[in-house]
Amino acid sequence: MQAEFDYDLLVIGAGSGGVRAARTAAARGARVAIAEDRYLGGTCVNVGCVPKKLYAYASHFRDSFDDAAGYGWHLPDTPTFDWPTLRDNKSGEIKRLNGIYQRLLENAGVTLYNARATLKDAHTVSMSSAKGESEVSAAKILLATGGWPWVPDFPGSDLAVTSNEVFDLDTFPQRFLVLGGGYIAVEFASIFNGLGSETHLIYRRELFLRGFDDEVRAFTRDEMKKKGVNLHFDTNIERIERGDDGLNVTLTNGDTLTVDTVLVATGRRANVSGLGIEALGIELDDSGKIPVNERFETSVPSILALGDLIDSPELTPAAIAEAMQIVEHHFGETTPEPLDYERVPTAVFCQPNIGTVGLTEEAARERFANIRVYRTDFKPMKHTLSGSSERMLMKLVVDDESDVVVGAHIVGEEAGELIQNVGIAVRAGLTKADFDRTLGVHPTGSEELVTMREPSRT
Ligand code: NDP
């Protein structure tokens, strides 16, 4: 690389994608720096996947306490939940992870700038921190600043919190409301419902989780309702006002609700504010993302971008995979195969979990002349004695002509764990006959995936 620059690679943003790119490029011998003005680990570690999963674990205990009675366990008193304990234990764990990220970067020989970085030109960034201003140059600059919660404009929207704040609320919301029908909304509705809040979810259309398999959406709706989440569909927030007894939320259907906390989970936008891309002529596309080519180069070839900044799934493993691709393209010797964004396994950690990979039934019907759908829903064995009415859904979508399983969908306990494994089979393009030839693991819920013989519909 050219010695005329301070570094071979300068990464802006130390989230999952940025850190992975910095470390792997350094391991290839590149001189690498990374700039971050917030926390190490980005959204996932600090205000996303990690604390969310810890809170999801916390929220599952309530059902477990209820389930235990049928198995002969009697808890002495009604269990109580202490929010500050969960919140502060979570913060301790995140601090530990921040330290691990710092050590990973240091051990990889990456220079860390605790500074706000702004692009000056195609190879120069100005760094601003409490210590002052400086300029740093690099042959390649990687934008990895991720996403930021987006809040629609309505009266009182400033009284709501976003996923940036919800993990650290001072007091536990006895009455909780979330706006939105995506991943974050359903996950937090399940979390606060499980922790004991009276919980409301407001979604503007008929059924939440748009883009997921329709049967999965309806099944999840029914299961969440059974667990006590109040679902308000076909409505939106008109305004929020502070009242004597909490926040008064008026919905567009005329209903009013009084709650302690309103979480707005209406999507995230590319976090480019103050980055200086406009001055360099890098423009956002219609979906608010930075266009890149197959080498992840923006319209300025020395400036690269990944993760939530570009048009790819807003998922940590996607950003990490993109980071590895970038390093291979720009600091490696081979040209990597393009990433397959179609068969990405993903989980929604609502209660019960959703795990999904590949095509929905609706998308498969559009793509293939004929399909077969195998589906079953059943009461998991655990709930024969627990008395819980929770059910589990398993579904395989098969292209009739090739017999390839093009989609798999699971709703139920640990669906997030299960779908990772089914994802390998779907990614590998295995056929329904391959699934059928695999013996089940007995007794498990997932053996249904290899024992569904007759199509439910074609
Ligand atoms: P999503 O894009 O998933 O969902 C946004 C929701 O907000 C949609 O239901 C959308 O409705 C609704 N919405 C958008 N604009 C408005 C508006 N003006 N008024 C009312 N409702 C509106 O975003 P999230 O914030 O839930 O999550 C962001 C991303 O983070 C996700 O896409 C996901 O990739 C990632 N994530 C992944 C997780 C995981 O892997 N488990 C967990 C959490 C987040 P409509 O359907 O009508 O557009």
Side-chain angles (χ1 to χ4, degrees), residues 48-49 52 150 152-153 163 179-187 202-205 207-210 212 235-237 264-269 308 313-316 346-349:
C49 329
K52 182 274 309 291
W150 174 79
D153 195 18
S163 54
L179 173 67
Y183 281 80
I184 296 181
V186 295
E187 288 183 344
I202 313 295
Y203 176 57
R204 62 181 174 180
R205 297 180 211 255
L207 185 57
F208 57 14
L209 292 169
R210 191 162 61 85
F212 283 76
T235 189
N236 210 332
I237 295 185
V264 175
T266 45
R268 296 167 60 84
R269 297 284 183 273
D308 290 357
E314 291 177 0
L315 300 170
T316 293
T346 168
V348 188
F349 294 98

mmCIF file of all heavy atoms in Angstrom, residues 48-49 52 150 152-153 163 179-187 202-205 207-210 212 235-237 264-269 308 313-316 346-349, ligand 1:
data_model
loop_
_atom_site.group_PDB
_atom_site.id
_atom_site.type_symbol
_atom_site.label_atom_id
_atom_site.label_comp_id
_atom_site.label_asym_id
_atom_site.label_seq_id
_atom_site.Cartn_x
_atom_site.Cartn_y
_atom_site.Cartn_z
ATOM 1 N N GLY A 48 -28.484 -3.229 21.352
ATOM 2 C CA GLY A 48 -29.155 -4.080 20.363
ATOM 3 C C GLY A 48 -29.141 -5.530 20.789
ATOM 4 O O GLY A 48 -29.548 -5.877 21.903
ATOM 5 N N CYS A 49 -28.620 -6.369 19.899
ATOM 6 C CA CYS A 49 -28.706 -7.830 20.060
ATOM 7 C C CYS A 49 -28.355 -8.322 21.465
ATOM 8 O O CYS A 49 -29.089 -9.131 22.039
ATOM 9 C CB CYS A 49 -27.749 -8.527 19.094
ATOM 10 S SG CYS A 49 -27.480 -7.668 17.543
ATOM 11 N N LYS A 52 -30.631 -6.986 24.371
ATOM 12 C CA LYS A 52 -31.980 -7.495 24.047
ATOM 13 C C LYS A 52 -32.100 -8.970 24.409
ATOM 14 O O LYS A 52 -33.082 -9.402 25.006
ATOM 15 C CB LYS A 52 -32.240 -7.262 22.560
ATOM 16 C CG LYS A 52 -33.589 -7.676 22.037
ATOM 17 C CD LYS A 52 -33.677 -9.112 21.623
ATOM 18 C CE LYS A 52 -32.620 -9.614 20.695
ATOM 19 N NZ LYS A 52 -32.686 -9.069 19.350
ATOM 20 N N TRP A 150 -35.129 5.829 13.838
ATOM 21 C CA TRP A 150 -35.865 6.904 13.182
ATOM 22 C C TRP A 150 -37.236 7.030 13.850
ATOM 23 O O TRP A 150 -37.922 6.034 14.045
ATOM 24 C CB TRP A 150 -36.028 6.608 11.697
ATOM 25 C CG TRP A 150 -36.904 7.608 11.017
ATOM 26 C CD1 TRP A 150 -36.565 8.850 10.600
ATOM 27 C CD2 TRP A 150 -38.304 7.459 10.707
ATOM 28 N NE1 TRP A 150 -37.645 9.478 10.051
ATOM 29 C CE2 TRP A 150 -38.726 8.651 10.100
ATOM 30 C CE3 TRP A 150 -39.229 6.421 10.896
ATOM 31 C CZ2 TRP A 150 -40.043 8.845 9.685
ATOM 32 C CZ3 TRP A 150 -40.534 6.617 10.480
ATOM 33 C CH2 TRP A 150 -40.924 7.826 9.874
ATOM 34 N N PRO A 152 -40.993 8.940 13.700
ATOM 35 C CA PRO A 152 -41.864 9.796 12.889
ATOM 36 C C PRO A 152 -42.257 11.052 13.655
ATOM 37 O O PRO A 152 -42.171 11.095 14.886
ATOM 38 C CB PRO A 152 -43.090 8.915 12.606
ATOM 39 C CG PRO A 152 -43.018 7.774 13.541
ATOM 40 C CD PRO A 152 -41.625 7.675 14.070
ATOM 41 N N ASP A 153 -42.686 12.040 12.901
ATOM 42 C CA ASP A 153 -43.028 13.324 13.505
ATOM 43 C C ASP A 153 -44.498 13.337 13.900
ATOM 44 O O ASP A 153 -45.361 13.253 13.042
ATOM 45 C CB ASP A 153 -42.751 14.406 12.442
ATOM 46 C CG ASP A 153 -42.722 15.774 13.071
ATOM 47 O OD1 ASP A 153 -42.565 15.848 14.307
ATOM 48 O OD2 ASP A 153 -42.870 16.760 12.317
ATOM 49 N N SER A 163 -34.921 2.570 20.960
ATOM 50 C CA SER A 163 -34.135 1.427 21.461
ATOM 51 C C SER A 163 -32.788 1.874 22.022
ATOM 52 O O SER A 163 -32.123 1.102 22.708
ATOM 53 C CB SER A 163 -33.949 0.387 20.353
ATOM 54 O OG SER A 163 -33.384 0.999 19.210
ATOM 55 N N LEU A 179 -44.620 1.305 19.562
ATOM 56 C CA LEU A 179 -45.149 1.621 18.228
ATOM 57 C C LEU A 179 -44.271 0.944 17.187
ATOM 58 O O LEU A 179 -43.055 1.121 17.186
ATOM 59 C CB LEU A 179 -45.134 3.134 17.998
ATOM 60 C CG LEU A 179 -45.509 3.588 16.580
ATOM 61 C CD1 LEU A 179 -46.971 3.283 16.262
ATOM 62 C CD2 LEU A 179 -45.232 5.081 16.394
ATOM 63 N N GLY A 180 -44.914 0.194 16.277
ATOM 64 C CA GLY A 180 -44.169 -0.465 15.200
ATOM 65 C C GLY A 180 -44.570 -1.927 15.107
ATOM 66 O O GLY A 180 -45.170 -2.479 16.032
ATOM 67 N N GLY A 181 -44.221 -2.532 13.989
ATOM 68 C CA GLY A 181 -44.576 -3.939 13.797
ATOM 69 C C GLY A 181 -43.425 -4.741 13.246
ATOM 70 O O GLY A 181 -43.617 -5.754 12.585
ATOM 71 N N GLY A 182 -42.189 -4.278 13.514
ATOM 72 C CA GLY A 182 -41.002 -4.984 13.025
ATOM 73 C C GLY A 182 -40.344 -5.759 14.154
ATOM 74 O O GLY A 182 -40.937 -5.996 15.217
ATOM 75 N N TYR A 183 -39.100 -6.156 13.909
ATOM 76 C CA TYR A 183 -38.338 -6.945 14.881
ATOM 77 C C TYR A 183 -38.373 -6.314 16.274
ATOM 78 O O TYR A 183 -38.660 -6.963 17.266
ATOM 79 C CB TYR A 183 -36.858 -6.980 14.471
ATOM 80 C CG TYR A 183 -36.448 -7.929 13.393
ATOM 81 C CD1 TYR A 183 -36.644 -7.633 12.059
ATOM 82 C CD2 TYR A 183 -35.807 -9.120 13.714
ATOM 83 C CE1 TYR A 183 -36.209 -8.490 11.057
ATOM 84 C CE2 TYR A 183 -35.363 -9.982 12.723
ATOM 85 C CZ TYR A 183 -35.566 -9.668 11.398
ATOM 86 O OH TYR A 183 -35.134 -10.511 10.422
ATOM 87 N N ILE A 184 -37.995 -5.025 16.329
ATOM 88 C CA ILE A 184 -37.787 -4.410 17.639
ATOM 89 C C ILE A 184 -39.105 -4.317 18.400
ATOM 90 O O ILE A 184 -39.173 -4.602 19.592
ATOM 91 C CB ILE A 184 -37.118 -3.019 17.477
ATOM 92 C CG1 ILE A 184 -35.725 -3.199 16.868
ATOM 93 C CG2 ILE A 184 -37.037 -2.287 18.807
ATOM 94 C CD1 ILE A 184 -34.934 -1.908 16.675
ATOM 95 N N ALA A 185 -40.177 -3.962 17.693
ATOM 96 C CA ALA A 185 -41.477 -3.797 18.367
ATOM 97 C C ALA A 185 -41.954 -5.115 18.976
ATOM 98 O O ALA A 185 -42.342 -5.160 20.148
ATOM 99 C CB ALA A 185 -42.511 -3.256 17.378
ATOM 100 N N VAL A 186 -41.924 -6.198 18.209
ATOM 101 C CA VAL A 186 -42.452 -7.455 18.758
ATOM 102 C C VAL A 186 -41.519 -8.009 19.842
ATOM 103 O O VAL A 186 -41.984 -8.596 20.819
ATOM 104 C CB VAL A 186 -42.742 -8.524 17.684
ATOM 105 C CG1 VAL A 186 -43.841 -8.085 16.747
ATOM 106 C CG2 VAL A 186 -41.521 -8.908 16.914
ATOM 107 N N GLU A 187 -40.226 -7.788 19.678
ATOM 108 C CA GLU A 187 -39.314 -8.293 20.709
ATOM 109 C C GLU A 187 -39.534 -7.554 22.031
ATOM 110 O O GLU A 187 -39.637 -8.167 23.097
ATOM 111 C CB GLU A 187 -37.856 -8.140 20.255
ATOM 112 C CG GLU A 187 -37.494 -9.139 19.148
ATOM 113 C CD GLU A 187 -36.050 -9.075 18.714
ATOM 114 O OE1 GLU A 187 -35.356 -8.074 19.017
ATOM 115 O OE2 GLU A 187 -35.585 -10.034 18.057
ATOM 116 N N ILE A 202 -48.740 -1.091 19.031
ATOM 117 C CA ILE A 202 -49.544 -0.344 18.060
ATOM 118 C C ILE A 202 -48.915 -0.526 16.688
ATOM 119 O O ILE A 202 -47.731 -0.218 16.498
ATOM 120 C CB ILE A 202 -49.522 1.181 18.384
ATOM 121 C CG1 ILE A 202 -49.776 1.449 19.872
ATOM 122 C CG2 ILE A 202 -50.475 1.965 17.478
ATOM 123 C CD1 ILE A 202 -51.114 1.068 20.375
ATOM 124 N N TYR A 203 -49.688 -1.015 15.730
ATOM 125 C CA TYR A 203 -49.140 -1.204 14.385
ATOM 126 C C TYR A 203 -50.125 -0.654 13.354
ATOM 127 O O TYR A 203 -51.328 -0.897 13.437
ATOM 128 C CB TYR A 203 -48.839 -2.679 14.114
ATOM 129 C CG TYR A 203 -48.359 -2.918 12.700
ATOM 130 C CD1 TYR A 203 -47.237 -2.249 12.214
ATOM 131 C CD2 TYR A 203 -49.043 -3.775 11.846
ATOM 132 C CE1 TYR A 203 -46.804 -2.431 10.911
ATOM 133 C CE2 TYR A 203 -48.609 -3.973 10.537
ATOM 134 C CZ TYR A 203 -47.490 -3.290 10.074
ATOM 135 O OH TYR A 203 -47.075 -3.451 8.784
ATOM 136 N N ARG A 204 -49.580 0.038 12.349
ATOM 137 C CA ARG A 204 -50.427 0.817 11.450
ATOM 138 C C ARG A 204 -51.210 -0.003 10.428
ATOM 139 O O ARG A 204 -52.137 0.513 9.829
ATOM 140 C CB ARG A 204 -49.590 1.859 10.723
ATOM 141 C CG ARG A 204 -48.494 1.287 9.836
ATOM 142 C CD ARG A 204 -47.709 2.415 9.192
ATOM 143 N NE ARG A 204 -46.552 1.937 8.449
ATOM 144 C CZ ARG A 204 -45.723 2.733 7.808
ATOM 145 N NH1 ARG A 204 -45.905 4.043 7.823
ATOM 146 N NH2 ARG A 204 -44.690 2.256 7.157
ATOM 147 N N ARG A 205 -50.807 -1.247 10.179
ATOM 148 C CA ARG A 205 -51.543 -2.065 9.189
ATOM 149 C C ARG A 205 -52.278 -3.206 9.890
ATOM 150 O O ARG A 205 -52.325 -3.269 11.103
ATOM 151 C CB ARG A 205 -50.597 -2.619 8.139
ATOM 152 C CG ARG A 205 -49.912 -1.556 7.315
ATOM 153 C CD ARG A 205 -49.006 -2.218 6.298
ATOM 154 N NE ARG A 205 -47.862 -1.390 6.016
ATOM 155 C CZ ARG A 205 -47.693 -0.680 4.908
ATOM 156 N NH1 ARG A 205 -48.605 -0.691 3.973
ATOM 157 N NH2 ARG A 205 -46.606 0.039 4.733
ATOM 158 N N LEU A 207 -51.687 -6.524 10.052
ATOM 159 C CA LEU A 207 -50.955 -7.586 10.743
ATOM 160 C C LEU A 207 -49.470 -7.267 10.732
ATOM 161 O O LEU A 207 -48.917 -6.936 9.685
ATOM 162 C CB LEU A 207 -51.217 -8.923 10.011
ATOM 163 C CG LEU A 207 -50.640 -10.194 10.620
ATOM 164 C CD1 LEU A 207 -51.119 -10.406 12.050
ATOM 165 C CD2 LEU A 207 -51.022 -11.409 9.768
ATOM 166 N N PHE A 208 -48.832 -7.414 11.909
ATOM 167 C CA PHE A 208 -47.431 -7.001 12.006
ATOM 168 C C PHE A 208 -46.465 -7.953 11.274
ATOM 169 O O PHE A 208 -46.890 -8.911 10.652
ATOM 170 C CB PHE A 208 -47.029 -6.813 13.466
ATOM 171 C CG PHE A 208 -47.226 -8.019 14.368
ATOM 172 C CD1 PHE A 208 -47.456 -9.288 13.871
ATOM 173 C CD2 PHE A 208 -47.172 -7.865 15.754
ATOM 174 C CE1 PHE A 208 -47.616 -10.387 14.707
ATOM 175 C CE2 PHE A 208 -47.340 -8.955 16.602
ATOM 176 C CZ PHE A 208 -47.558 -10.211 16.067
ATOM 177 N N LEU A 209 -45.172 -7.651 11.379
ATOM 178 C CA LEU A 209 -44.095 -8.454 10.784
ATOM 179 C C LEU A 209 -44.237 -8.603 9.274
ATOM 180 O O LEU A 209 -44.117 -9.705 8.718
ATOM 181 C CB LEU A 209 -44.013 -9.826 11.482
ATOM 182 C CG LEU A 209 -43.549 -9.760 12.941
ATOM 183 C CD1 LEU A 209 -43.764 -11.102 13.634
ATOM 184 C CD2 LEU A 209 -42.083 -9.346 13.038
ATOM 185 N N ARG A 210 -44.525 -7.496 8.630
ATOM 186 C CA ARG A 210 -44.653 -7.485 7.169
ATOM 187 C C ARG A 210 -43.358 -8.022 6.551
ATOM 188 O O ARG A 210 -42.269 -7.672 7.003
ATOM 189 C CB ARG A 210 -44.902 -6.050 6.695
ATOM 190 C CG ARG A 210 -45.310 -5.928 5.258
ATOM 191 C CD ARG A 210 -45.942 -4.574 5.026
ATOM 192 N NE ARG A 210 -45.025 -3.470 5.311
ATOM 193 C CZ ARG A 210 -44.137 -2.988 4.442
ATOM 194 N NH1 ARG A 210 -44.048 -3.501 3.233
ATOM 195 N NH2 ARG A 210 -43.356 -1.987 4.766
ATOM 196 N N PHE A 212 -42.573 -11.220 6.597
ATOM 197 C CA PHE A 212 -42.449 -12.596 7.074
ATOM 198 C C PHE A 212 -43.582 -13.426 6.464
ATOM 199 O O PHE A 212 -44.565 -12.886 5.948
ATOM 200 C CB PHE A 212 -42.552 -12.627 8.616
ATOM 201 C CG PHE A 212 -41.295 -12.184 9.302
ATOM 202 C CD1 PHE A 212 -40.965 -10.827 9.366
ATOM 203 C CD2 PHE A 212 -40.429 -13.099 9.875
ATOM 204 C CE1 PHE A 212 -39.802 -10.400 9.981
ATOM 205 C CE2 PHE A 212 -39.266 -12.685 10.490
ATOM 206 C CZ PHE A 212 -38.952 -11.342 10.547
ATOM 207 N N THR A 235 -53.925 0.971 13.325
ATOM 208 C CA THR A 235 -53.971 2.290 13.966
ATOM 209 C C THR A 235 -52.547 2.794 14.185
ATOM 210 O O THR A 235 -51.584 2.057 13.982
ATOM 211 C CB THR A 235 -54.771 2.235 15.287
ATOM 212 O OG1 THR A 235 -54.965 3.563 15.767
ATOM 213 C CG2 THR A 235 -54.081 1.397 16.352
ATOM 214 N N ASN A 236 -52.448 4.056 14.558
ATOM 215 C CA ASN A 236 -51.131 4.672 14.724
ATOM 216 C C ASN A 236 -51.212 5.640 15.905
ATOM 217 O O ASN A 236 -52.301 5.899 16.411
ATOM 218 C CB ASN A 236 -50.761 5.423 13.434
ATOM 219 C CG ASN A 236 -49.256 5.450 13.196
ATOM 220 O OD1 ASN A 236 -48.467 5.407 14.132
ATOM 221 N ND2 ASN A 236 -48.864 5.528 11.941
ATOM 222 N N ILE A 237 -50.073 6.160 16.304
ATOM 223 C CA ILE A 237 -50.127 7.174 17.370
ATOM 224 C C ILE A 237 -50.433 8.525 16.739
ATOM 225 O O ILE A 237 -49.763 8.939 15.788
ATOM 226 C CB ILE A 237 -48.799 7.240 18.152
ATOM 227 C CG1 ILE A 237 -48.562 5.935 18.911
ATOM 228 C CG2 ILE A 237 -48.816 8.424 19.129
ATOM 229 C CD1 ILE A 237 -47.339 5.946 19.813
ATOM 230 N N VAL A 264 -40.713 3.941 20.554
ATOM 231 C CA VAL A 264 -40.979 4.042 19.120
ATOM 232 C C VAL A 264 -39.957 3.161 18.399
ATOM 233 O O VAL A 264 -38.751 3.365 18.529
ATOM 234 C CB VAL A 264 -40.900 5.506 18.632
ATOM 235 C CG1 VAL A 264 -41.047 5.565 17.120
ATOM 236 C CG2 VAL A 264 -42.002 6.321 19.289
ATOM 237 N N ALA A 265 -40.470 2.162 17.668
ATOM 238 C CA ALA A 265 -39.597 1.215 16.947
ATOM 239 C C ALA A 265 -40.069 1.175 15.507
ATOM 240 O O ALA A 265 -40.618 0.189 15.031
ATOM 241 C CB ALA A 265 -39.665 -0.161 17.591
ATOM 242 N N THR A 266 -39.864 2.299 14.833
ATOM 243 C CA THR A 266 -40.388 2.461 13.473
ATOM 244 C C THR A 266 -39.270 2.430 12.433
ATOM 245 O O THR A 266 -39.340 3.090 11.407
ATOM 246 C CB THR A 266 -41.173 3.783 13.374
ATOM 247 O OG1 THR A 266 -40.403 4.801 14.007
ATOM 248 C CG2 THR A 266 -42.523 3.676 14.051
ATOM 249 N N GLY A 267 -38.264 1.665 12.713
ATOM 250 C CA GLY A 267 -37.200 1.489 11.742
ATOM 251 C C GLY A 267 -35.978 2.331 12.059
ATOM 252 O O GLY A 267 -35.990 3.186 12.947
ATOM 253 N N ARG A 268 -34.927 2.045 11.332
ATOM 254 C CA ARG A 268 -33.664 2.738 11.548
ATOM 255 C C ARG A 268 -33.179 3.312 10.225
ATOM 256 O O ARG A 268 -33.546 2.831 9.162
ATOM 257 C CB ARG A 268 -32.627 1.749 12.116
ATOM 258 C CG ARG A 268 -33.032 1.217 13.484
ATOM 259 C CD ARG A 268 -32.191 0.010 13.899
ATOM 260 N NE ARG A 268 -30.780 0.316 13.968
ATOM 261 C CZ ARG A 268 -30.184 0.862 15.026
ATOM 262 N NH1 ARG A 268 -30.878 1.125 16.117
ATOM 263 N NH2 ARG A 268 -28.894 1.104 15.020
ATOM 264 N N ARG A 269 -32.394 4.359 10.319
ATOM 265 C CA ARG A 269 -31.857 4.998 9.108
ATOM 266 C C ARG A 269 -30.334 4.955 9.157
ATOM 267 O O ARG A 269 -29.741 4.896 10.241
ATOM 268 C CB ARG A 269 -32.299 6.475 9.045
ATOM 269 C CG ARG A 269 -33.788 6.687 8.932
ATOM 270 C CD ARG A 269 -34.301 6.396 7.527
ATOM 271 N NE ARG A 269 -35.729 6.661 7.408
ATOM 272 C CZ ARG A 269 -36.702 5.780 7.692
ATOM 273 N NH1 ARG A 269 -36.404 4.570 8.123
ATOM 274 N NH2 ARG A 269 -37.974 6.099 7.538
ATOM 275 N N ASP A 308 -25.330 -1.517 8.092
ATOM 276 C CA ASP A 308 -26.614 -0.813 8.016
ATOM 277 C C ASP A 308 -26.565 0.413 7.105
ATOM 278 O O ASP A 308 -27.594 1.002 6.812
ATOM 279 C CB ASP A 308 -27.069 -0.377 9.423
ATOM 280 C CG ASP A 308 -27.478 -1.559 10.286
ATOM 281 O OD1 ASP A 308 -27.468 -2.702 9.778
ATOM 282 O OD2 ASP A 308 -27.807 -1.348 11.469
ATOM 283 N N PRO A 313 -29.291 -6.834 4.450
ATOM 284 C CA PRO A 313 -30.066 -7.067 5.676
ATOM 285 C C PRO A 313 -29.424 -6.360 6.873
ATOM 286 O O PRO A 313 -28.207 -6.415 7.045
ATOM 287 C CB PRO A 313 -30.006 -8.591 5.855
ATOM 288 C CG PRO A 313 -29.666 -9.143 4.507
ATOM 289 C CD PRO A 313 -28.856 -8.087 3.816
ATOM 290 N N GLU A 314 -30.254 -5.688 7.679
ATOM 291 C CA GLU A 314 -29.737 -4.957 8.845
ATOM 292 C C GLU A 314 -29.509 -5.950 9.976
ATOM 293 O O GLU A 314 -30.250 -5.986 10.963
ATOM 294 C CB GLU A 314 -30.734 -3.869 9.265
ATOM 295 C CG GLU A 314 -30.835 -2.749 8.260
ATOM 296 C CD GLU A 314 -31.874 -1.705 8.630
ATOM 297 O OE1 GLU A 314 -32.531 -1.825 9.673
ATOM 298 O OE2 GLU A 314 -32.040 -0.762 7.846
ATOM 299 N N LEU A 315 -28.503 -6.791 9.804
ATOM 300 C CA LEU A 315 -28.219 -7.851 10.765
ATOM 301 C C LEU A 315 -26.719 -7.904 11.011
ATOM 302 O O LEU A 315 -25.925 -7.769 10.068
ATOM 303 C CB LEU A 315 -28.688 -9.208 10.214
ATOM 304 C CG LEU A 315 -30.184 -9.332 9.893
ATOM 305 C CD1 LEU A 315 -30.456 -10.626 9.140
ATOM 306 C CD2 LEU A 315 -31.033 -9.258 11.158
ATOM 307 N N THR A 316 -26.333 -8.116 12.269
ATOM 308 C CA THR A 316 -24.918 -8.172 12.626
ATOM 309 C C THR A 316 -24.128 -9.176 11.764
ATOM 310 O O THR A 316 -23.064 -8.830 11.235
ATOM 311 C CB THR A 316 -24.780 -8.514 14.131
ATOM 312 O OG1 THR A 316 -25.286 -7.406 14.854
ATOM 313 C CG2 THR A 316 -23.357 -8.794 14.536
ATOM 314 N N THR A 346 -32.624 -16.039 10.128
ATOM 315 C CA THR A 346 -32.795 -14.930 11.068
ATOM 316 C C THR A 346 -33.824 -15.313 12.117
ATOM 317 O O THR A 346 -34.665 -16.178 11.890
ATOM 318 C CB THR A 346 -33.176 -13.631 10.325
ATOM 319 O OG1 THR A 346 -33.606 -12.654 11.257
ATOM 320 C CG2 THR A 346 -34.263 -13.817 9.334
ATOM 321 N N ALA A 347 -33.714 -14.671 13.272
ATOM 322 C CA ALA A 347 -34.635 -14.973 14.371
ATOM 323 C C ALA A 347 -35.214 -13.691 14.915
ATOM 324 O O ALA A 347 -34.543 -12.663 14.947
ATOM 325 C CB ALA A 347 -33.896 -15.708 15.483
ATOM 326 N N VAL A 348 -36.453 -13.762 15.334
ATOM 327 C CA VAL A 348 -37.060 -12.668 16.089
ATOM 328 C C VAL A 348 -37.253 -13.222 17.499
ATOM 329 O O VAL A 348 -37.928 -14.240 17.675
ATOM 330 C CB VAL A 348 -38.423 -12.243 15.500
ATOM 331 C CG1 VAL A 348 -38.926 -10.991 16.199
ATOM 332 C CG2 VAL A 348 -38.319 -12.019 14.001
ATOM 333 N N PHE A 349 -36.651 -12.546 18.475
ATOM 334 C CA PHE A 349 -36.678 -13.094 19.829
ATOM 335 C C PHE A 349 -37.898 -12.621 20.604
ATOM 336 O O PHE A 349 -37.806 -12.162 21.737
ATOM 337 C CB PHE A 349 -35.359 -12.785 20.553
ATOM 338 C CG PHE A 349 -34.197 -13.500 19.917
ATOM 339 C CD1 PHE A 349 -33.370 -12.837 19.022
ATOM 340 C CD2 PHE A 349 -33.983 -14.840 20.156
ATOM 341 C CE1 PHE A 349 -32.320 -13.507 18.396
ATOM 342 C CE2 PHE A 349 -32.938 -15.511 19.534
ATOM 343 C CZ PHE A 349 -32.098 -14.846 18.662
HETATM 344 P P1 NDP B 1 -38.331 -2.579 10.965
HETATM 345 O O1 NDP B 1 -37.948 -1.922 9.691
HETATM 346 O O2 NDP B 1 -38.182 -4.041 11.112
HETATM 347 O O3 NDP B 1 -39.845 -2.230 11.306
HETATM 348 C C1 NDP B 1 -40.307 -0.908 11.340
HETATM 349 C C2 NDP B 1 -41.770 -0.934 11.703
HETATM 350 O O4 NDP B 1 -42.217 0.393 11.909
HETATM 351 C C3 NDP B 1 -42.623 -1.542 10.612
HETATM 352 O O5 NDP B 1 -43.613 -2.326 11.204
HETATM 353 C C4 NDP B 1 -43.218 -0.304 9.935
HETATM 354 O O6 NDP B 1 -44.486 -0.545 9.395
HETATM 355 C C5 NDP B 1 -43.357 0.633 11.113
HETATM 356 N N1 NDP B 1 -43.351 2.039 10.694
HETATM 357 C C6 NDP B 1 -42.511 2.647 9.822
HETATM 358 N N2 NDP B 1 -42.817 3.946 9.693
HETATM 359 C C7 NDP B 1 -43.888 4.169 10.501
HETATM 360 C C8 NDP B 1 -44.677 5.323 10.775
HETATM 361 N N3 NDP B 1 -44.423 6.498 10.212
HETATM 362 N N4 NDP B 1 -45.704 5.189 11.649
HETATM 363 C C9 NDP B 1 -45.964 3.988 12.223
HETATM 364 N N5 NDP B 1 -45.254 2.877 11.992
HETATM 365 C C10 NDP B 1 -44.223 2.966 11.127
HETATM 366 O O7 NDP B 1 -37.516 -1.773 12.060
HETATM 367 P P2 NDP B 1 -37.142 -2.037 13.561
HETATM 368 O O8 NDP B 1 -37.016 -0.686 14.125
HETATM 369 O O9 NDP B 1 -38.064 -3.005 14.217
HETATM 370 O O10 NDP B 1 -35.729 -2.754 13.439
HETATM 371 C C11 NDP B 1 -34.692 -2.216 12.622
HETATM 372 C C12 NDP B 1 -33.858 -3.300 12.031
HETATM 373 O O11 NDP B 1 -33.027 -3.850 13.026
HETATM 374 C C13 NDP B 1 -34.661 -4.478 11.490
HETATM 375 O O12 NDP B 1 -34.971 -4.312 10.131
HETATM 376 C C14 NDP B 1 -33.780 -5.656 11.698
HETATM 377 O O13 NDP B 1 -33.092 -5.936 10.514
HETATM 378 C C15 NDP B 1 -32.838 -5.227 12.783
HETATM 379 N N6 NDP B 1 -33.101 -6.006 14.009
HETATM 380 C C16 NDP B 1 -32.858 -7.338 14.003
HETATM 381 C C17 NDP B 1 -33.124 -8.092 15.111
HETATM 382 C C18 NDP B 1 -32.873 -9.559 15.102
HETATM 383 O O14 NDP B 1 -32.149 -10.043 14.250
HETATM 384 N N7 NDP B 1 -33.478 -10.324 15.994
HETATM 385 C C19 NDP B 1 -33.642 -7.504 16.331
HETATM 386 C C20 NDP B 1 -33.887 -6.095 16.218
HETATM 387 C C21 NDP B 1 -33.615 -5.389 15.091
HETATM 388 P P3 NDP B 1 -44.725 -1.153 7.918
HETATM 389 O O15 NDP B 1 -44.674 -2.634 8.056
HETATM 390 O O16 NDP B 1 -46.066 -0.659 7.573
HETATM 391 O O17 NDP B 1 -43.656 -0.597 7.054
#
